[in-house]
Amino acid sequence: MRTVSFRLLVLLVLVAGATPAPGQEALHLVKTGTSAEDLYLAGARIEFRGEADGDLAAAAARSLSIEGLVRGDVAAAAGSVFVAGRVLDDVRVAGQLVVLAGEVGDGFLAAGEVVRITGPSQVGGSAWILGRRVDVSGRVRRELRVTAVRVRIE
């Protein structure tokens, strides 16, 4: 899969962080259906419930929820990131709150104030986590590397 450049991710974050004018509602994007191409999403709140045959790059000012199937990589930044679907390749995410409650086929890289890998979740490769508080109760098939103030591993 193609890699997402750092410049593009910064641009997505700037676009997503744009504050709506007074009296206007912030953008809430819900993506369903199937996409045969790579997806680039930006908004205040993003919910991805569909299928993507390629990579998914997303930036959300408030929240990002991935509940569908991504056959490529995920690169995302948001205030809160919730991955409950299936990602068949790598996941690289950053947010104040990052929760993995789904399945990652390969590597998982996360940075956040609070990062959680919940009980039903599974990481098929290695996991690298940077956070203030990290809770891991899910399964990590290869190595787990954590840098945090407080770590809880079940």
Side-chain angles (χ1 to χ4, degrees):
M1 295 288 157
R2 288 176 261 164
T3 59
V4 176
S5 75
F6 179 72
R7 290 180 194 163
L8 178 61
L9 197 55
V10 169
L11 178 63
L12 285 172
V13 169
L14 291 175
V15 170
T19 305
Q24 289 184 336
E25 182 65 32
L27 178 65
H28 179 192
L29 173 66
V30 178
K31 174 65 177 140
T32 60
T34 302
S35 173
E37 309 264 333
D38 292 343
L39 287 176
Y40 302 93
L41 306 174
R45 292 181 297 155
I46 299 171
E47 296 177 31
F48 179 77
R49 298 182 190 148
E51 290 187 21
D53 288 338
D55 296 338
L56 170 66
R62 294 188 186 128
S63 64
L64 167 66
S65 174
I66 299 173
E67 300 174 30
L69 171 64
V70 179
R71 290 185 177 86
D73 294 332
V74 168
S80 63
V81 179
F82 182 70
V83 180
R86 289 183 62 207
V87 178
L88 301 184
D89 209 348
D90 299 320
V91 171
R92 298 173 198 94
V93 291
Q96 185 174 5
L97 171 64
V98 175
V99 177
L100 174 63
E103 182 181 337
V104 176
D106 199 8
F108 178 70
L109 173 67
E113 183 176 348
V114 177
V115 180
R116 294 187 181 119
I117 299 178
T118 64
S121 61
Q122 178 175 319
V123 176
S126 300
W128 298 274
I129 302 170
L130 171 66
R132 193 173 131 248
R133 192 172 89 212
V134 174
D135 298 320
V136 179
S137 58
R139 181 175 178 210
V140 177
R141 182 165 284 179
R142 294 190 186 143
E143 69 180 328
L144 171 64
R145 293 187 179 215
V146 177
T147 300
V149 174
R150 187 184 132 230
V151 179
R152 187 181 76 191
I153 300 174
E154 294 180 13

